[in-house]
Amino acid sequence: PAIRRFTEGKSVAELKMLREAEVTHGRVSMLASLGFLVQESFHPLFRLGDKDIGPAIRHLDEVRAEVPIFFEILVLGIGFAEISRSLAGWTAPAGSNPADGPLANLPDDTPFRRLEDKYYPGDIGFDPAGLKPSDPKEFAEMATKELQNGRLAMIAVAGFFLQELVNGKGIIENFSS
């Protein structure tokens, strides 16, 4: 019932964009939840020795101090990933005739953005491990599992942030106490 109200009146194009956002945020959250736990145990990028830099939400301060150019490199990497993703699935906004305007290629139901009709949300063609099933039924099952794990990870990361903000202790430190 609640999902029906949420999707009521939305076009397929709008639902595909919502699914794309959910898959993307879920993937980032799954990586973030793993990152929280790994970097509180050891920091794979830096040799900090026995130096305690506190909870994970404060680790980026240390990264900036140790490697000042890290964020510029990070922004370029994220920019490259986002451009690749947008070229894989999103419709170019400008039509073939420049006189028609910068958004001439986009329909009225999604005036500022639109996924390609043939694009499945989240399927950017990157599968170096060969995990993507070729059977459509198995693919749908795998996509559902990814969405569910992504939703759980989004909640987990929000909990990690809040817990560390509340008491200033790392997640693993909270687990062990």
Side-chain angles (χ1 to χ4, degrees), residues 66-127:
E66 292 289 323
V67 183
I69 197 167
F70 176 80
F71 286 102
E72 287 77 7
I73 295 168
L74 181 66
V75 166
L76 288 174
I78 291 171
F80 175 76
E82 286 297 310
I83 287 172
S84 298
R85 187 173 67 92
S86 68
L87 291 175
W90 294 84
T91 301
S96 57
N97 183 3
D100 291 339
L103 301 176
N105 201 29
L106 299 177
D108 292 336
D109 64 340
T110 54
F112 299 111
R113 62 211 184 279
R114 176 150 183 133
L115 290 172
E116 295 280 352
D117 291 332
K118 64 185 183 334
Y119 175 73
Y120 185 85
D123 187 11
I124 57 173
F126 180 75
D127 185 23

Side-chain angles (χ1 to χ4, degrees), residues 1 16 22 33 38-39 41 49 67 76-77 86 105-106 120 126 136 143 146 150-153 160 174:
K16 281 177 68 173
E22 186 176 18
S33 61
V38 168
Q39 70 184 354
S41 300
V67 183
L76 288 174
S86 68
N105 201 29
L106 299 177
Y120 185 85
F126 180 75
E146 182 183 25
R151 290 169 183 161
L152 180 62
F160 288 175
N174 278 303

Side-chain angles (χ1 to χ4, degrees), residues 31-47:
L31 288 172
S33 61
L34 179 64
F36 260 90
L37 300 174
V38 168
Q39 70 184 354
E40 287 186 2
S41 300
F42 72 98
H43 209 296
L45 299 177
F46 308 105
R47 292 187 191 150

